[in-house]
């Protein structure tokens, strides 16, 4: 039983192995068997063809029992042969093309490999260089860190020293002002003492004259005439010296004695009194103020610039006129015989000029520009000294500060900047709620006009707002009188306001039928004595108001045919200059 099981087991194993071989080997020989069968068929066809062509040749045994059409087989064979030849030619051409392409690729591959080797060498060099540079960067960063720490320390020290310097400057200015006040008080005290000495001498002289007048004497005509002439001459002399108590000497001389001794005494007394003394000179400080003359006609008119003229300003000595326009230049004009003669052109601005300001000495000129900067020129050599850059919008006003070597600029970027002209640096930034159109500088305060219809007063030392005045229109310009007590503002509601800075209230409203503010930068100014205010209208007419009464003084029609942008009144009170949008500048006088 065990023998049968073992024999059947190996038989089954053999059968399984044979089936497995048949399954796997049949796949490899199926193509061969098919090709062999086709070859047998072709062999039969060839044998038949040979038998037909040459019947004497021995025929091979037929492999196919079915009859074959030899002609069709020949045609089919020929077609296949032609197709094989055509395919062979195409394959040969393709092989040729592929061979050429392979050669080109081999050349490119060799070039690429050489380039790659070069780049690998260069990459190695660059890696080494990068390592050296990285080490250098690490060294520089360490050195930079040390320098930065030193810089921060120096910056803190600089700020502390700068604050001390500012405090010392303020203290120095206060000391100077105190010295000026002390000297003024000393001069007043000295004048009082001199006047006291005058009064004492006057009383003594009156006593002497009273004693002389009580002596009874006989009249002598010749002596009386001589004494009268002498007293008249002395009286005129005293009148020229504004010494009023001696105007009565003539009446007192009528009772003088004819005796030579009294006459000689009186002559000696007069000679002694007529000699000059220290009290005859005025030592008190005086302030000179020009009396403005209302303009009446155009003395000279010309095209000042190649485009719109935005600003005009007289120099402190009233002999020089500066104009600024959209042609990026500031022009200086000499006033000779009431005529404007071009003197110099100041260049350097990258855009149109918006404002012009002379310093009190008349040796420097500051101008704001549409290119977000302000520029300072020296008028000694007409060279650009510095550019104050930092604003992000156009600079509408640039003014010198009152006491220090500082300037103040206002801009449409809603900031006011205070500049140190020695170090060419911004030392204080004041953020304002609205676009700034114009500014005015006082001792320690800055007054600014804005597009939100407000005038604001700022403490320049603390950078804080101390007061505010509301108007009915956008503020276009500000100006302050010579006493620094009255503020003139022009606004887009066609109104000029005179504000009393001491009372912080509007004192006068200046309006006129026909006056229209032509632009957001139209300028209105005081006369040098503060008696008048002047502004140009959009129709080219110049209006002059009396600031005391608030009434219109006159309206002037000149050569302007468009809106007047700015006006300036010379400190001598003799000339008024006006500029407009059509390149024109007019010089006005009172006759």
């Amino acid at each position: 039983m065990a023998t049968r099981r073992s024999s059947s087991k190996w038989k089954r194993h053999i059968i399984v192995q044979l089936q497995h071989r048949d399954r796997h080997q049949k796949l490899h020989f199926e193509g061969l068997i098919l090709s062999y069968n086709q070859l047998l068929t072709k062999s039969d066809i060839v044998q038949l063809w040979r038998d037909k062509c040459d019947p004497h040749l021995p025929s091979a045994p037929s492999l196919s029992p079915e009859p074959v059409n030899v002609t069709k087989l020949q045609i089919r064979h020929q077609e296949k042969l032609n197709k094989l030849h055509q395919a062979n030619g195409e394959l040969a051409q393709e092989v040729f093309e592929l061979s050429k392409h392979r050669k080109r690729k081999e050349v490119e591959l060799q070039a690429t490999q050489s380039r790659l080797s070069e780049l690998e060498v260069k990459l190695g060099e660059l890696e080494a260089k990068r390592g050296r540079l990285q080490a250098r960067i690490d060294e520089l960063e360490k050195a930079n860190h040390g320098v930065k720490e030193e810089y921060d320390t120096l910056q803190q020290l600089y700020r502390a020293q700068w604050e001390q310097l500012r405090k010392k400057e303020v203290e120095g200015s206060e000391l100077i002002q105190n010295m000026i006040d002390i000297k003024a008080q000393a001069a007043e005290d000295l004048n009082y003492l001199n006047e006291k000495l005058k009064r004492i001498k006057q009383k003594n002289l009156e006593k002497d004259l009273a004693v002389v007048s009580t002596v009874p004497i006989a009249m002598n005509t010749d002596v009386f005439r001589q004494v009268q002439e002498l007293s008249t001459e002395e009286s005129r002399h005293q009148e020229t010296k504004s010494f009023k108590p001696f105007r009565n000497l003539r009446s007192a001389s009528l009772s003088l004695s004819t005796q030579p001794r009294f006459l000689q005494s009186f002559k000696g007394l007069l000679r002694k009194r007529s000699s000059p003394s220290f009290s005859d000179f005025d030592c008190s400080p005086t302030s000179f103020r020009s009396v403005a003359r209302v303009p009446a006609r155009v003395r000279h008119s010309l095209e000042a610039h190649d485009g719109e003229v935005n600003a005009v300003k007289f120099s402190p000595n009233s002999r020089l006129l500066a104009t600024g326009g959209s042609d990026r230049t500031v022009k200086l004009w000499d006033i000779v015989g009431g005529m404007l003669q071009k003197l110099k052109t100041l260049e350097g601005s990258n855009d149109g000029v918006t404002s012009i300001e002379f310093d009190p000495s008349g040796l420097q000129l500051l101008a704001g520009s549409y290119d977000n900067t302000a520029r300072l020129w020296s008028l000694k050599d007409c060279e650009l000294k510095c550019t104050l850059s930092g604003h992000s919008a156009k600079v509408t006003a640039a003014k010198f500060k009152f006491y220090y070597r500082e300037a103040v600029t206002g801009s449409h970027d809603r900031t006011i900047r205070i500049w140190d002209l020695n170090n060419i640096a911004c030392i204080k930034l004041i953020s304002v709620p609205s676009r700034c159109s114009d500014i005015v500088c006082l001792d320690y305060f800055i007054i600014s006009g804005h597009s939100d219809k407000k005038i604001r007063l700022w403490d320049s030392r603390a950078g804080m707002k101390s007061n505010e005045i509301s108007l009915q229109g956008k503020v276009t310009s500000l100006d302050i009188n010579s006493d620094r007590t009255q503020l003139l503002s022009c606004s887009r509601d066609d109104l000029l306001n005179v504000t009393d800075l001491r009372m912080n209230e509007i004192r006068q409203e200046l309006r006129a039928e026909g006056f229209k503010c032509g632009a957001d930068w139209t300028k209105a100014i005081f006369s040098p004595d503060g008696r008048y205010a002047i502004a140009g209208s959009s129709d080219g007419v110049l209006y002059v108001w009396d600031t005391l009464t608030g009434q219109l003084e006159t309206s002037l029609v000149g050569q302007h045919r468009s809106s007047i942008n700015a006006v300036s009144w010379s400190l001598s009170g003799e000339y008024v200059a006006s500029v407009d949008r059509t390149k024109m500048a007019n010089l006005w006088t009172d006759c």
Side-chain angles (χ1 to χ4, degrees):
M1 192 68 180
T3 306
R4 287 181 182 178
R5 289 180 180 177
S6 61
S7 62
S8 62
K9 186 176 182 180
W10 65 265
K11 286 179 181 179
R12 285 195 302 272
H13 178 71
I14 291 173
I15 292 170
V16 171
Q17 291 293 327
L18 290 173
Q19 291 176 352
H20 182 270
R21 184 190 67 179
D22 184 50
R23 283 196 304 271
H24 286 79
Q25 291 184 359
K26 185 180 179 181
L27 295 174
H28 297 289
F29 293 101
E30 281 182 354
L32 182 60
I33 295 169
L34 181 61
S35 298
Y36 179 72
N37 291 332
Q38 291 176 357
L39 181 60
L40 290 176
T41 303
K42 289 181 181 180
S43 178
D44 292 340
I45 293 170
V46 170
Q47 186 64 37
L48 290 173
W49 180 71
R50 288 179 63 188
D51 290 342
K52 187 176 180 180
C53 293
D54 191 359
H56 300 287
L57 292 173
S59 57
S62 177
L63 299 175
S64 176
E66 296 180 359
V68 178
N69 191 343
V70 178
T71 305
K72 291 183 179 180
L73 290 174
Q74 286 178 350
I75 293 171
R76 192 182 299 166
H77 181 266
Q78 189 64 35
E79 289 176 354
K80 288 184 178 180
L81 186 62
N82 291 336
K83 288 181 180 180
L84 290 174
H85 283 299
Q86 184 179 359
N88 187 27
E90 291 176 356
L91 290 173
Q93 181 67 27
E94 186 177 354
V95 167
F96 180 72
E97 294 292 337
L98 290 174
S99 179
K100 289 174 63 177
H101 184 67
R102 181 181 62 80
K103 290 181 180 179
R104 288 196 303 269
K105 291 297 181 181
E106 287 178 353
V107 173
E108 292 178 359
L109 179 61
Q110 291 178 358
T112 303
Q113 288 178 349
S114 61
R115 176 65 176 166
L116 180 61
S117 61
E118 292 177 359
L119 290 176
E120 287 178 351
V121 173
K122 189 173 182 179
L123 178 62
E125 295 176 354
L126 291 176
E127 285 290 340
K129 188 176 181 180
R130 186 185 70 83
R132 293 192 299 271
L133 291 176
Q134 186 64 39
R136 179 62 177 165
I137 288 172
D138 294 338
E139 294 177 0
L140 290 176
E141 284 182 350
K142 292 180 181 178
N144 186 31
H145 183 68
V147 172
K148 187 177 183 302
E149 291 180 351
E150 185 178 357
Y151 170 77
D152 292 338
T153 304
L154 292 176
Q155 187 72 15
Q156 293 177 359
L157 181 61
Y158 168 76
R159 289 176 181 172
Q161 296 292 334
W162 177 253
E163 290 297 329
Q164 291 181 5
L165 177 61
R166 295 289 300 163
K167 291 179 181 179
K168 294 297 183 183
E169 286 181 348
V170 172
E171 292 176 359
S173 63
E174 292 176 353
L175 289 175
I176 291 173
Q177 187 64 36
N178 291 336
M179 290 177 63
I180 293 174
D181 295 340
I182 291 172
K183 288 184 178 180
Q185 186 63 38
E188 291 179 0
D189 295 341
L190 185 59
N191 290 336
Y192 176 76
L193 292 176
N194 291 332
E195 290 295 331
K196 187 175 181 180
L197 292 174
K198 283 183 181 180
R199 289 193 295 271
I200 293 174
K201 291 181 179 180
Q202 178 183 348
K203 289 181 180 180
N204 293 334
L205 183 59
E206 289 176 351
K207 289 180 180 180
D208 294 339
L209 291 176
V211 171
V212 172
S213 61
T214 57
V215 180
I217 55 174
M219 295 298 295
N220 187 308
T221 306
D222 296 333
V223 175
F224 177 76
R225 187 174 60 253
Q226 293 176 3
V227 174
Q228 186 178 12
E229 292 176 358
L230 181 61
S231 63
T232 304
E233 182 181 357
E234 179 66 16
S235 176
R236 290 176 181 175
H237 180 69
Q238 294 298 333
E239 286 178 358
T240 59
K241 293 169 61 177
S242 301
F243 197 76
K244 298 180 181 179
F246 282 90
R247 292 181 181 176
N248 297 324
L249 285 178
R250 183 172 182 180
S251 59
S253 65
L254 293 175
S255 59
L256 288 178
S257 171
T258 58
Q259 296 181 8
R261 214 180 329 178
F262 285 102
L263 184 59
Q264 291 173 2
S265 301
F266 186 71
K267 288 182 179 180
L269 181 61
L270 288 178
R271 291 193 188 99
K272 182 178 180 181
R273 185 68 190 95
S274 62
S275 60
S277 64
F278 182 77
S279 61
D280 294 330
F281 300 96
D282 186 10
C283 298
S284 60
T286 59
S287 60
F288 176 76
R289 181 182 298 176
S290 302
V291 177
R293 291 177 283 182
V294 178
R297 69 180 184 90
V298 176
R299 185 69 178 269
H300 188 207
S301 180
L302 52 79
E303 288 190 359
H305 289 262
D306 296 333
E308 180 177 357
V309 189
N310 300 321
V312 61
K313 194 73 173 180
F314 279 99
S315 65
N317 60 9
S318 303
R319 288 181 288 183
L320 196 66
L321 181 70
T323 57
S326 58
D327 59 356
R328 306 180 181 181
T329 62
V330 175
K331 294 186 178 181
L332 301 178
W333 307 86
D334 192 11
I335 303 175
V336 180
M339 307 291 286
L340 296 175
Q341 297 182 0
K342 185 178 177 181
L343 189 63
K344 195 71 176 179
T345 300
L346 306 181
E347 298 178 343
S349 178
N350 297 323
D351 209 335
V353 176
T354 59
S355 68
I356 294 175
E357 178 81 354
F358 284 93
D359 74 335
S361 66
L363 300 178
Q364 296 184 111
L365 185 140
L366 183 65
S369 175
Y370 282 101
D371 64 358
N372 310 342
T373 64
R375 288 174 173 82
L376 180 67
W377 282 272
S378 172
L379 300 185
K380 290 183 178 179
D381 49 9
C382 294
E383 294 292 332
L384 180 64
K385 292 185 62 178
C386 64
T387 300
L388 308 178
S389 58
H391 287 287
S392 60
K394 67 177 180 179
V395 176
T396 54
K399 301 294 179 68
F400 285 99
K401 212 161 182 297
F402 187 64
Y403 277 126
Y404 306 112
R405 284 273 303 165
E406 296 176 357
V408 181
T409 55
S411 171
H412 271 196
D413 64 359
R414 301 186 179 186
T415 62
I416 296 173
R417 292 176 179 264
I418 303 176
W419 305 85
D420 184 347
L421 298 180
N422 291 324
N423 298 321
I424 318 300
C426 177
I427 59 176
K428 192 172 291 295
L429 174 65
I430 302 174
S431 298
V432 297
S434 176
R435 293 185 300 177
C436 181
S437 57
D438 202 359
I439 55 176
V440 169
C441 298
L442 299 177
D443 300 354
Y444 299 108
F445 294 93
I446 299 171
I447 304 175
S448 58
H450 300 273
S451 299
D452 62 353
K453 308 177 184 179
K454 298 290 182 63
I455 298 174
R456 295 178 173 90
L457 183 65
W458 307 88
D459 188 338
S460 61
R461 294 167 294 184
M464 298 175 59
K465 183 178 70 173
S466 62
N467 214 331
E468 185 176 277
I469 300 174
S470 298
L471 301 181
Q472 300 300 318
K474 293 182 180 179
V475 181
T476 65
S477 73
L478 298 175
D479 191 31
I480 196 166
N481 66 347
S482 58
D483 294 335
R484 300 183 176 271
T485 58
Q486 308 292 325
L487 180 70
L488 177 68
S489 61
C490 179
S491 54
R492 290 290 283 172
D493 58 350
D494 306 328
L495 187 66
L496 275 67
N497 291 288
V498 179
T499 304
D500 191 335
L501 297 177
R502 296 166 296 185
M503 305 299 294
N504 193 31
E505 62 182 14
I506 296 177
R507 186 175 60 84
Q508 288 286 0
E509 291 186 350
L510 309 179
R511 63 177 79 243
E513 184 179 355
F515 172 75
K516 292 188 178 297
C517 183
D520 289 346
W521 53 89
T522 300
K523 297 294 186 290
I525 60 168
F526 276 117
S527 62
D529 56 0
R531 175 66 186 275
Y532 303 101
I534 187 169
S537 178
S538 59
D539 57 358
V541 179
L542 208 60
Y543 290 84
V544 183
W545 288 270
D546 189 325
T547 59
L548 298 180
T549 62
Q551 300 298 317
L552 180 66
E553 183 74 17
T554 183
S555 58
L556 306 171
V557 179
Q559 304 299 321
H560 294 296
R561 295 296 178 265
S562 65
S563 177
I564 298 176
N565 287 334
V567 289
S568 180
W569 206 317
S570 64
L571 293 181
S572 64
E574 183 179 1
Y575 297 107
V576 171
S578 58
V579 295
D580 65 13
R581 291 186 175 181
T582 57
K583 313 177 185 178
M584 296 300 297
N586 288 346
L587 186 66
W588 302 76
T589 61
D590 60 335
C591 58

